[in-house]
C-alpha cells in the first residue's frame, strides 16, 4: 500500500504545484489577478472537509425531521411531510447564502405517496407472521375487512389467462417474472377483493406496487413458508377462507428537486452529482440519505473558494424512496442537447453506515455507458491510495443513477451499505460486526444522528470532494459522450429494483 500511496501523493503535489504557475505569472499584472481564486485541486478541496461541519449539519437535519412529528408522531423527512419541506428549505437557503457562485433552481414534479395506517391478513384461522401490506397498496373496500375464499393463481400471475373468475375471492399469487403491481392489477381485473403475493425464494417478502393504477387492489406479501400450507390445501382442492383488511391512503402531491450549478466552468461539459433529500416515512433518515445530501451541501459550500474549468452541477433529488421519482423525472425532461452536456453522474446515497463497508458500484464499460468504469476506478484508486480496503457492489438500479445510465450518461458512486449483512470476511477487511446489517437502523426510526460513523463519513466526503475536483479541473483522458441511448447491452434481465423497494 505504501508505495502506491506515495506515488499518488506525488502526483497530487505535482498538480497542485502546476496549478500555481499561471497564478504566479499573472499575479503581478493586475490587482484582480492577485485576488483571483485558486484553480480547483483535489488536495486543497479535501483539506477543507472537516467532520465537525458534517456533524453540525446532521444535528440541524434531525431537528428539521422533528417538524414531521405533528403528522407522523415521530421525526421523518418523507416527501409531503413538513420534515421534507424543511429539508429542501435548508438546502436551498444554504446554497442561496453562498452568493452568486451558483445558479440555483427548483424543479417541481408530481409524485405519489402512500401511508398504511393499519392492516391485517387472516388465512384459514391463522395470521401469517410475515404478512405485510405492500407499499402504495390501496385500502380494502371502504377501509373495512373483506372476507372470501382464497384462490390460487396459475403460473406467476403475469398474464390475464392465469386468473379464473375471482369475483369476491382473495388471490394467492407467486412472486416472479413480472412486477408486483402487474399482479395486483390483473387480480383486480379478475374481480378479486384482495391479493396476497408469496415469496418464490426463501424468506420474508416486502415490496411496492409502484405507480398506482385504478385496477390495483389491497395487496399483502408473505413469506414462502407462510404460504406453503395454503398452496398445498388449495392444490388438494380444499377450501380456505380468508380475510383481509388494509386502511391506507395513496395520494398525489407535488415535490421538488433542487439543482445548483456553478456559473463558472464550461457549461457544455458538466460534472454532475446527486444525493436524495427525502427519507422514508419510518424515520429521520440521517444516514439515508442525510449523509449523502449533507456531504453535497458541504462540498458545494467549500467549492466556492475555487475556480473551475468545467461546470459542476449538484442535485438533491426528492422521492427517491418512492422509486427514484425525482431523478427519473429530471432525466426524462432533458432535451438531447442538455443530456449530452452531462459528462457523468455520481450518486452519493448512504455514506456513513455505522457498520460500514467501503462499497464501490461495479459500474463497467461493457454493461454501462462508457466512462462509468473510469469513474469506478477513480474511487477504487482513492481507497487504495489511502491503504483502505473496498468492495464492489452491484450497479443494479437501487438508487438515483438509474435514469442516467439508461439514457447514455456514464454513472457510478459509492455507498457504505444498507440492510445487507456483513460477512466474517468483510469484518476482517473493514472491522465492525459480522452478522449485523451494515446499517442496523436502515429505514427505521433509529436512523438518527447516532446512526453515522464519522470516520467513514469524513473519508467518503473527502472522496466526493476528490471526484468533484478531479472532473471540475479536467476531463482530459475521460471518454467523450457518445449518445443518449441506453447501453450496449440489449438483453438486460428485468431489474428487481427501481429504487430501494423490490418491485418484482
Ligand atoms: C425554491 O424552493 C425553496 C425551498 O422550498 C423556496 O424557499 C424558494 O422560494 C423556491 N424558489 C423559487 C424560485 O421558486
Ligand atoms: C463487475 O462487473 C463485471 C461485468 O461488467 C463482471 O465481469 C465482474 O465479475 C464484476 N465484478 C465483481 C467483483 O462483481
Ligand atoms: C484490509 O484487509 C486485510 C484483510 O484482507 C486486513 O488485514 C487489513 O487490516 C485491512 N486494512 C484496513 C486498513 O482495514
Ligand atoms: C467508526 O469506525 C471506525 C473505524 O472502523 C471505528 O474505529 C470507530 O469506533 C467507529 N465509530 C463509531 C462511533 O462507531
Ligand atoms: Zn437512500
Amino acid at each position: 500500500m505504501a508505495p502506491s500511496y506515495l506515488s499518488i501523493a506525488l502526483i497530487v503535489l505535482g498538480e497542485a504545484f502546476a496549478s500555481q504557475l499561471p497564478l504566479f505569472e499573472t499575479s503581478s499584472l493586475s490587482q484582480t489577478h492577485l485576488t483571483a481564486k485558486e484553480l480547483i485541486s483535489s488536495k486543497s478541496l479535501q483539506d477543507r472537509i472537516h467532520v465537525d461541519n458534517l456533524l453540525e449539519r446532521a444535528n440541524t437535519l434531525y431537528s428539521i425531521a422533528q417538524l414531521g412529528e405533528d403528522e407522523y408522531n415521530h421525526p421523518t423527512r418523507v416527501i409531503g411531510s413538513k420534515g421534507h419541506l424543511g429539508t429542501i428549505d435548508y438546502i436551498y437557503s444554504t446554497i442561496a447564502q453562498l452568493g452568486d457562485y451558483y445558479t440555483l433552481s427548483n424543479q417541481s414534479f408530481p409524485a405519489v405517496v402512500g401511508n398504511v395506517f393499519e392492516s391485517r391478513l387472516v388465512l384459514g384461522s391463522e395470521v401469517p407472521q410475515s404478512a405485510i401490506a405492500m407499499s402504495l397498496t390501496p385500502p380494502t373496500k371502504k377501509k373495512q375487512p373483506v372476507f372470501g375464499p382464497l384462490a390460487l393463481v396459475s403460473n406467476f400471475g403475469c398474464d390475464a389467462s392465469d386468473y379464473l373468475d375471482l369475483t369476491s375471492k382473495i388471490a394467492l399469487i407467486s412472486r416472479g417474472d413480472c412486477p408486483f403491481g402487474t399482479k395486483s392489477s390483473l387480480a383486480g381485473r379478475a374481480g378479486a377483493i384482495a391479493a396476497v403475493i408469496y415469496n418464490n425464494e426463501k424468506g420474508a417478502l416486502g415490496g411496492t406496487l409502484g405507480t398506482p393504477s385504478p385496477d390495483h387492489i389491497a395487496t399483502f406479501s408473505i413469506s414462502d413458508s407462510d404460504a406453503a400450507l395454503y398452496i398445498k390445501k388449495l392444490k388438494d382442492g380444499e377450501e380456505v377462507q380468508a380475510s383481509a383488511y388494509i386502511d391506507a391512503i395513496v395520494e398525489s402531491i407535488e415535490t421538488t428537486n433542487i439543482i445548483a450549478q456553478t456559473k463558472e466552468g464550461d457549461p457544455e461539459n458538466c460534472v454532475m452529482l446527486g444525493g436524495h433529500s427525502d427519507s422514508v416515512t419510518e424515520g429521520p433518515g440521517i444516514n439515508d440519505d442525510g449523509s449523502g445530501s449533507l456531504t453535497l451541501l458541504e462540498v458545494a459550500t467549500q467549492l466556492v473558494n475555487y475556480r473551475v474549468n468545467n461546470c459542476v452541477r449538484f442535485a438533491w433529488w426528492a422521492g427517491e424512496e418512492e422509486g427514484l421519482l425525482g431523478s427519473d423525472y429530471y432525466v426524462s425532461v432533458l432535451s438531447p442537447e442538455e443530456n449530452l452536456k452531462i459528462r457523468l453522474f455520481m450518486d452519493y446515497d448512504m455514506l456513513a453506515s455505522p457498520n460500514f463497508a467501503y462499497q464501490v458500484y461495479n459500474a463497467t464499460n461493457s454493461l454501462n455507458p462508457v466512462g462509468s468504469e473510469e469513474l469506478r476506478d477513480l474511487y477504487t484508486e482513492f481507497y487504495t491510495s489511502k491503504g483502505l480496503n473496498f468492495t464492489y457492489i452491484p450497479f443494479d438500479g437501487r438508487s438515483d443513477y438509474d435514469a442516467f445510465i439508461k439514457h447514455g450518461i456514464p454513472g457510478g458512486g459509492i455507498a457504505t451499505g444498507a440492510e445487507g449483512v456483513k460477512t466474517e470476511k468483510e469484518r476482517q477487511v473493514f472491522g465492525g460486526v459480522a452478522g449485523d446489517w451494515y446499517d442496523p437502523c436502515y429505514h427505521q426510526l433509529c436512523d438518527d444522528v447516532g446512526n453515522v460513523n464519522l470516520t467513514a463519513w469524513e473519508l467518503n466526503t473527502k472522496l466526493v470532494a476528490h471526484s468533484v475536483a478531479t472532473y471540475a479541473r479536467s476531463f482530459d483522458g475521460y471518454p467523450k459522450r457518445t449518445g443518449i441511448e441506453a447501453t450496449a447491452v440489449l438483453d438486460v434481465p428485468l431489474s428487481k429494483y427501481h429504487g430501494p423497494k423490490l418491485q418484482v
Side-chain angles (χ1 to χ4, degrees), residues 38-41 45 101-102 260-273 303-304 306-314 340-344 346 466-480:
E38 181 190 339
L39 177 63
I40 184 73
S41 79
L45 187 60
Y101 190 83
Y102 293 104
Q261 178 168 327
T262 55
K263 289 191 175 151
E264 270 197 25
D266 178 0
E268 304 295 310
N269 286 285
C270 281
V271 36
M272 185 162 185
L273 62 160
L303 187 64
V304 304
Y306 301 91
R307 281 185 295 126
V308 290
N309 289 329
N310 296 316
C311 113
V312 181
R313 190 183 298 171
F314 293 86
L340 289 167
K341 291 176 185 174
I342 304 171
R343 293 291 297 271
L344 80 171
M346 310 187 290
H466 173 62
S467 68
V468 168
T470 302
Y471 298 118
R473 188 179 172 102
S474 171
F475 278 119
D476 284 356
Y478 188 81
K480 293 228 168 1

Side-chain angles (χ1 to χ4, degrees), residues 276 288-289 320-321 349-350 399 442-443:
H276 64 89
D288 184 11
D289 182 27
E320 192 269 356
E321 301 289 5
D349 189 1
M350 302 185 70
S399 192
Y442 178 65
H443 285 183

Side-chain angles (χ1 to χ4, degrees), residues 229-250:
L229 172 68
Y230 303 102
I231 297 170
K232 183 171 183 308
K233 283 191 174 176
L234 294 171
K235 282 189 173 159
D236 291 347
E238 281 183 50
E239 192 166 280
V240 178
Q241 288 298 325
S243 83
Y245 163 59
I246 294 178
D247 178 8
I249 50 159
V250 177

Side-chain angles (χ1 to χ4, degrees), residues 90-102 104:
Y90 171 59
I91 293 166
Y92 191 93
S93 63
T94 303
I95 301 291
Q97 280 160 21
L98 297 171
D100 64 356
Y101 190 83
Y102 293 104
L104 185 54

Side-chain angles (χ1 to χ4, degrees), residues 112-339:
V112 286
V113 284
N115 204 353
V116 175
F117 303 108
E118 233 185 324
S119 70
R120 188 169 60 251
L121 178 70
V122 183
L123 302 180
S125 55
E126 283 168 42
V127 174
Q129 284 307 306
S130 65
I132 42 175
M134 299 199 88
S135 295
L136 295 181
T137 178
T140 42
K141 195 174 177 192
K142 296 185 180 155
K143 301 185 176 177
Q144 294 297 318
V146 294
F147 302 87
L150 200 59
L152 190 60
V153 170
S154 305
N155 305 313
F156 288 110
C158 294
D159 196 292
S161 64
D162 294 335
Y163 297 78
L164 302 171
D165 179 8
L166 294 184
T167 305
S168 303
K169 294 183 176 165
I170 296 178
L172 182 62
I173 315 166
S174 173
R175 175 188 179 197
D177 258 27
C178 63
F180 304 131
T182 304
K183 297 173 200 271
S184 184
S185 286
L186 289 172
R189 266 186 253 161
I193 49 177
V196 181
I197 298 174
Y198 65 89
N199 204 350
N200 64 340
E201 295 173 9
K202 269 199 116 37
L205 178 64
T208 180
L209 296 187
T211 312
S213 149
D215 289 329
H216 283 171
I217 52 174
T219 303
F220 287 87
S221 53
I222 62 172
S223 67
D224 58 328
S225 52
D226 276 349
L229 172 68
Y230 303 102
I231 297 170
K232 183 171 183 308
K233 283 191 174 176
L234 294 171
K235 282 189 173 159
D236 291 347
E238 281 183 50
E239 192 166 280
V240 178
Q241 288 298 325
S243 83
Y245 163 59
I246 294 178
D247 178 8
I249 50 159
V250 177
E251 58 182 356
S252 299
I253 59 160
E254 284 250 301
T255 186
T256 306
N257 293 327
I258 298 179
I259 313 291
Q261 178 168 327
T262 55
K263 289 191 175 151
E264 270 197 25
D266 178 0
E268 304 295 310
N269 286 285
C270 281
V271 36
M272 185 162 185
L273 62 160
H276 64 89
S277 61
D278 61 314
S279 74
V280 290
T281 307
E282 288 79 4
I286 301 302
N287 183 34
D288 184 11
D289 182 27
S291 60
S293 50
L294 298 178
T295 284
L296 260 63
L297 214 48
E298 187 59 23
V299 170
T301 300
Q302 300 304 333
L303 187 64
V304 304
N305 297 298
Y306 301 91
R307 281 185 295 126
V308 290
N309 289 329
N310 296 316
C311 113
V312 181
R313 190 183 298 171
F314 293 86
W316 289 269
W317 311 118
E320 192 269 356
E321 301 289 5
E322 278 65 33
L324 315 182
L325 304 181
S327 52
D328 274 2
Y329 181 80
Y330 180 84
V331 176
S332 75
V333 299
L334 284 175
S335 66
E337 295 72 34
E338 287 301 323
N339 175 310

